[in-house]
Amino acid sequence: MQNTTAQTDSNPINVAVLGASGWIGSHIVNEALARGHQVTAIARQPENVSAEGASVREFDLLNAQADLARAVQGADVVIAAIGGRAAGNHELVAHTAQRLLAELPNTSVSRLLWVGGAGSLEVAPGVTLVSVPDFPEAYRAEALAQGEGLEVFRSSSSAIKWTFVSPAAEIFPGEPQGSYRVGGEQLLTDDNGNSRISVIDYAKAMVDELEVAKHLNQRIGVAY
């Protein structure tokens, strides 16, 4: 586990953000733009993307015939923020992971960063967060879907280098604190047993990983 703060000096990276109109995706777009990266914001409804300085492209994951290569054209890295809840289709998570790992090697993209869930993190050896009795039922389907997505990554032989970035148990709107911790398979908690990170600092952690490429083909967790 390590403590870290946001990186500030990096060569510009051409990054495509899939799911750019969503809550987490839009914060990642803004963070990447603020650091001077070239950003392509991709969404099913591009009119919902508000990001000055980004190129905006339309792409519908629900359409198997949609041209992924065209959507990510020119990008070196893809960040995917796909939860499935908005589309009412949690199977979309694992399906999207499979599709990206299969199709991105035929594009300019060499790395894939994934907005994961906290439910598959361990609260005790062999015990995942989503399996505990008081896990919120409203988030269970999405947490299980993200766990299935993680297994897709772990079993993949794709040439794409991936990083699955799990947030803390609670990801919330609020002011950035400027520093966070990076862990592995265990849920990170503070001295009071809380596992939290703001969406702004989660976006910072994601763009930090975009810049340093430190955790290739790994799942990491980030929290205060």
Side-chain angles (χ1 to χ4, degrees), residues 14-39:
N14 196 323
V15 56
V17 180
L18 191 59
S21 63
W23 182 50
I24 296 177
S26 61
H27 280 85
I28 292 170
V29 167
N30 290 334
E31 179 66 22
L33 286 170
R35 298 203 206 176
H37 297 298
Q38 297 173 283
V39 180

Side-chain angles (χ1 to χ4, degrees), residues 1 117-132 135 143 147 150-151 154 164 166-169 183-189 193-195 219-223:
M1 182 176 64
S120 57
L121 291 166
E122 292 187 347
V123 296
V127 180
T128 59
L129 178 63
V130 71
S131 70
V132 302
F135 188 88
L150 177 59
E151 290 308 310
R154 286 176 168 164
F164 189 104
S166 289
E185 295 301 317
Q186 287 71 45
L187 181 73
L188 294 175
T189 58
N194 298 315
S195 178
R219 185 263 285 279
I220 59 173
V222 294

